[in-house]
Amino acid sequence: MQRRNIKPPERFRYADVVTFALYTAQGIENQKPQSYEEALRHTNSKEWKIAMKEEMNSLIKNQIWTLVEKPTKQKIVGCKWIYKLKEGTYEGRQKKHKAQLVAKGYTQREGVDYTDVFSPVIKYKTIRLVLALVAQFD
């Protein structure tokens, strides 16, 4: 017994093409660099450079790191830039270029490069309890 070939309705004939075109157009509009080199070659390289400078100034201002001599026989954890386009919060505001310098933590090995993992997490119950105590004893 042969299976019957079922065709989609005529109105859906070009649905895949339209979806692809819209997805591609959106990707071109919101294109952001994937590396530092791409950011320098990007059409909006001036905005990306400003975003990277703002990030570096913020890291220096907040004293995120301290420069030290490289220990002998130790591997250095690298870093990379992550680029994002933030939408404007109100009409007429243009997209904001954001750059973030992040460590390549995936190159580390437990027990060799680090021993403890700390992830600050707080539960909403705790926040409510503290706020309730503040309200009661204020």
Side-chain angles (χ1 to χ4, degrees), residues 28-79:
I28 290 169
E29 181 183 322
N30 296 326
Q31 199 172 33
K32 43 190 190 227
Q34 299 297 315
S35 67
Y36 177 77
E37 291 79 18
E38 268 187 50
L40 295 181
R41 290 191 313 261
H42 198 272
T43 55
N44 295 333
S45 63
K46 185 178 178 182
E47 287 86 358
W48 290 120
K49 285 179 186 177
I50 292 169
M52 288 187 283
K53 189 162 183 73
E54 286 174 0
E55 173 72 2
M56 287 301 293
N57 289 340
S58 173
L59 294 173
I60 291 167
K61 178 184 164 202
N62 294 321
Q63 300 176 351
I64 300 299
W65 62 70
T66 305
L67 292 178
V68 295
E69 293 291 322
K70 178 187 172 197
T72 57
K73 298 183 182 179
Q74 287 289 343
K75 189 170 82 171
I76 301 297
V77 175
C79 59

Side-chain angles (χ1 to χ4, degrees), residues 8 23 35-36 49 52 66 74 81 85 87 98 106 116 118 126 138:
Y23 180 76
S35 67
Y36 177 77
K49 285 179 186 177
M52 288 187 283
T66 305
Q74 287 289 343
W81 286 100
L85 281 172
E87 295 292 329
K98 298 288 284 181
Y106 54 84
D116 295 328
F118 175 72
T126 308
D138 189 26

Side-chain angles (χ1 to χ4, degrees), residues 8 11 17 19 39 42-43 68 75 77 80 91 103 122 136:
R11 66 178 185 265
V17 176
T19 303
H42 198 272
T43 55
V68 295
K75 189 170 82 171
V77 175
K80 68 178 185 174
E91 271 188 52
I122 190 163
Q136 183 177 3

Side-chain angles (χ1 to χ4, degrees), residues 94-134:
Q94 293 186 358
K95 293 180 182 177
K96 182 171 172 91
H97 293 71
K98 298 288 284 181
Q100 185 178 13
L101 188 64
V102 296
K104 294 181 181 177
Y106 54 84
T107 60
Q108 296 179 316
R109 291 173 289 154
E110 186 176 1
V112 175
D113 299 314
Y114 66 91
T115 53
D116 295 328
V117 177
F118 175 72
S119 179
V121 178
I122 190 163
K123 294 181 180 178
Y124 287 111
K125 288 181 182 179
T126 308
I127 294 172
R128 283 195 302 257
L129 174 68
V130 170
L131 291 176
L133 289 171
V134 167

